[in-house]
Amino acid sequence: MNKLIYNYIKENRSRILDTWIQNMRNKADERLIKGVSTEVFESTSDEFVEMIISRLTEKEEEFLSLLTDFAEKVVRLGWPLVFVNEGLKEFEKIVYGGLVDQGLVNQDKLLEVVGDLDSFMTPMQNEVVNMYSQIWEKTVSLQKIALQELSAPLIPVLDRITVMPLVGTIDTERAKQIMENLLNGVVNHRSEVVLIDITGVPVVDTMVAHHIIQAAEAVRLVGAHCMLCGIRPEIAQTIVNLGINLNEITTKNSLQKGIEAALEITSRQIVEMEEVE
Amino acid sequence: MRIPILKLYDCLLVSIQWELDDATALQFQEDLLHKIHQTSANGVVIDITSIDFIDSFIAKVLGDVVSMSKLMGAKVVITGIQPAVAITLIELGIVLDDVLTALDLEKGLEKLQQELGD
C-alpha cells in the first residue's frame, strides 16, 4: 500500500467521513432515507467508512469480520447493493480528489497513485459483493428448506381416510415431492381414500393438472381411491377452458363434501347422537 | 425359476417374491393362463409387495396378463404396488386402466369377493 495514500486517509479521516456522508445522502434515494432514521444512517455510514479505513490499519481477519458484520447489518436494513457499491466508488473519488487538491500528487506519480488506489479498492469491492451474495444465498436456501417443510403434509383425519391440503404454487419439483409423500403416506397409513385439497392453490394450469392426474393415477395403482376437493369456481373455469380432462378423478367442491363421499366409499356415515336426558 | 400359483377356493393366488426377468414373466403369463383354464377360477390376486423395481416390459406383460385373464373370465386384482413402482409406471406412461388394485393381499381378496359377488 502506498504510504502517501495511507497517511492522507489517516490524517484527513474525519474530513473524508463528513464529505462522504454528505455526498452519499444526496445520492441515496427517497425510499432508503425514509425507511432509515438519520442516526441509523449516520452511524451506519460511519461504520462503513470505519470499515474501509480498517482495511488500511487492521489485519486481514479483523477486516473480514468487520465486513461480515457490516454486510449482515446492511442487508437487514435493506440497503441495496448498488448503493453500497456507489459508496465505495465515492470514497475512492473523495480520496483521489483530496490527494490532487492538496497537491500531494504530481504528474509523475499520478499513474502510480491511481493504480495503488485501484488495487486497494477493487478487492474490497469484490469482497463486499461476495459477502452480499453469500448472505442472499443463505437466505434463499433457508427459505427453500422452510418451503420444503411446508410442502406436502399428509394428515390422517379418520381411519382409512387421509387428507393432503396443498397451499401455494405447484412446480415440477414440488409435484414430485407431493406424489412421493402421497404414495408413501397411503401405504403407511393404510388408507383407502385420499383427498387432495387444492383450496390454497392459486392457479391450476395444464402442468399442475397433469401432476394431479398423475398423482391420482399412481394412488389408484397402490390400491386407494383419490379425490380432488376444494375446486373454486375460477379453477373450474380454467380447467374447462384449457380443455383439461379430469373425468377420471372424482372432484368435490369442498373438503366437507369430500369427506362425506369418502365415508360413503368406506361404507360409513356420521350419525348424530340423541341427547341423553 | 417358476412363480408358484396357488388355488384358494375359486380364486388363484400369486405372490411374486423376486424381481422378474423377461423370460420368467412370459413363463408366468403362460402358467397363469393354463392354471385358469385348469381350475376355471373366477378371480386372480397378484401380489407384488416385494417388487420395488419394474421396467416397461414387465409392466406390459402384467397388463397383458390382466386383459388375457379377463378374456378367460377371471377378474384380476393387483395388490401391494409400492410407491416407487407406481411412480415409475406413471412416469413410463403405462396406465393399467382396467386393472383393479388394492393396498395389500387382504384388501385385494376382499375386493375380489366384492367384485365376484356383484
Side-chain angles (χ1 to χ4, degrees):
Chain A
M1 184 64 206
N2 195 311
K3 266 261 155 56
L4 195 71
I5 302 173
Y6 177 70
N7 286 334
Y8 174 76
I9 293 178
K10 211 172 163 192
E11 279 160 25
N12 299 285
R13 184 168 153 167
S14 61
R15 208 174 54 79
I16 293 176
L17 188 62
D18 287 341
T19 330
W20 189 80
I21 289 179
Q22 194 54 48
N23 287 3
M24 282 327 280
R25 175 151 306 150
N26 295 339
K27 276 199 170 136
D29 62 29
E30 287 280 312
R31 193 167 49 89
L32 196 66
I33 301 288
K34 229 181 260 173
V36 183
S37 68
T38 322
E39 295 96 73
V40 175
F41 184 80
E42 231 150 66
S43 77
T44 313
S45 304
D46 196 45
E47 207 178 308
F48 185 44
V49 173
E50 197 72 37
M51 184 188 79
I52 298 175
I53 290 168
S54 81
R55 167 86 190 201
L56 297 169
T57 49
E58 311 279 343
K59 286 209 185 75
E60 191 74 15
E61 298 105 59
E62 280 165 61
F63 169 70
L64 275 179
S65 85
L66 267 179
L67 187 62
T68 318
D69 291 346
F70 179 76
E72 264 171 25
K73 190 172 173 183
V74 158
V75 170
R76 243 197 338 266
L77 285 173
W79 283 23
L81 174 59
V82 179
F83 181 68
V84 176
N85 214 7
E86 193 82 29
L88 279 168
K89 273 269 173 280
E90 191 61 39
F91 184 83
E92 190 178 348
K93 233 187 266 170
I94 292 170
V95 171
Y96 179 69
L99 282 170
V100 173
D101 281 350
Q102 294 203 351
L104 289 169
V105 192
N106 55 32
Q107 209 60 40
D108 310 332
K109 275 187 172 174
L110 193 64
L111 263 182
E112 193 189 330
V113 169
V114 169
D116 271 345
L117 201 58
D118 191 57
S119 69
F120 160 66
M121 295 302 287
T122 307
M124 194 147 68
Q125 223 157 6
N126 288 345
E127 262 162 274
V128 168
V129 172
N130 188 22
M131 214 58 232
Y132 254 88
S133 61
Q134 264 178 22
I135 286 173
W136 281 333
E137 270 161 27
K138 208 163 97 189
T139 321
V140 168
S141 67
L142 278 178
Q143 280 173 348
K144 214 172 189 174
I145 291 168
L147 198 66
Q148 250 168 24
E149 284 166 350
L150 295 173
S151 193
L154 194 71
I155 308 159
V157 280
L158 287 165
D159 181 33
R160 287 177 286 165
I161 298 174
T162 40
V163 174
M164 179 177 268
L166 296 180
V167 176
T169 321
I170 299 171
D171 56 11
T172 312
E173 197 182 321
R174 200 168 160 218
K176 211 168 166 185
Q177 213 185 2
I178 287 170
M179 171 125 63
E180 271 169 31
N181 280 4
L182 193 63
L183 295 179
N184 286 325
V186 168
V187 173
N188 288 342
H189 298 305
R190 302 175 52 79
S191 16
E192 270 175 31
V193 184
V194 203
L195 301 149
I196 301 178
D197 182 69
I198 56 163
T199 315
V201 180
V203 185
V204 176
D205 55 10
T206 38
M207 194 201 60
V208 174
H210 172 73
H211 287 310
I212 290 174
I213 292 169
Q214 279 201 331
E217 200 56 48
V219 167
R220 194 182 65 84
L221 283 180
V222 297
H225 196 86
C226 187
M227 253 190 247
L228 201 59
C229 318
I231 300 188
R232 286 174 281 123
E234 58 268 31
I235 300 277
Q237 280 174 7
T238 4
I239 287 175
V240 172
N241 285 338
L242 287 173
I244 299 164
N245 184 5
L246 284 179
N247 288 347
E248 304 281 306
I249 308 170
T250 324
T251 49
K252 297 280 173 211
N253 71 350
S254 68
L255 188 60
Q256 191 191 342
K257 287 262 168 64
I259 288 189
E260 276 168 20
L263 285 170
E264 209 170 291
I265 289 176
T266 53
S267 33
R268 281 176 293 175
Q269 65 180 128
I270 296 175
V271 184
E272 265 179 49
M273 299 272 283
E274 271 177 53
E275 226 169 278
V276 184
E277 294 293 325
Chain B
M1 196 136 175
R2 285 188 170 191
I3 292 161
I5 301 166
L6 313 171
K7 183 174 166 295
L8 189 76
Y9 305 109
D10 59 345
C11 296
L12 294 178
L13 185 59
V14 187
S15 173
I16 300 174
Q17 298 284 351
W18 53 83
E19 311 297 333
L20 291 171
D21 58 43
D22 295 2
T24 325
L26 289 173
Q27 179 72 51
F28 163 67
Q29 176 179 317
E30 207 154 302
D31 287 355
L32 184 67
L33 295 177
H34 276 296
K35 199 81 176 184
I36 292 173
H37 184 68
Q38 254 176 35
T39 59
S40 55
N42 292 323
V44 181
V45 179
I46 303 174
D47 182 65
I48 57 168
T49 311
S50 338
I51 293 188
D52 17 60
F53 169 79
I54 204 162
D55 63 23
S56 51
F57 183 75
I58 304 295
K60 182 188 169 292
V61 173
L62 273 178
D64 288 353
V65 168
V66 174
S67 316
M68 290 166 185
S69 306
K70 213 176 213 169
L71 280 177
M72 296 185 66
K75 286 206 163 120
V76 182
V77 179
I78 297 183
T79 64
I81 299 179
Q82 296 294 319
V85 174
I87 292 174
T88 321
L89 286 177
I90 295 297
E91 274 170 3
L92 288 172
I94 300 163
V95 197
L96 298 171
D97 249 339
D98 41 0
V99 182
L100 295 170
T101 51
L103 201 57
D104 51 25
L105 191 57
E106 197 183 331
K107 293 238 171 86
L109 283 169
E110 269 170 33
K111 196 161 194 171
L112 197 55
Q113 294 302 340
Q114 221 173 45
E115 288 286 321
L116 293 177
D118 288 345

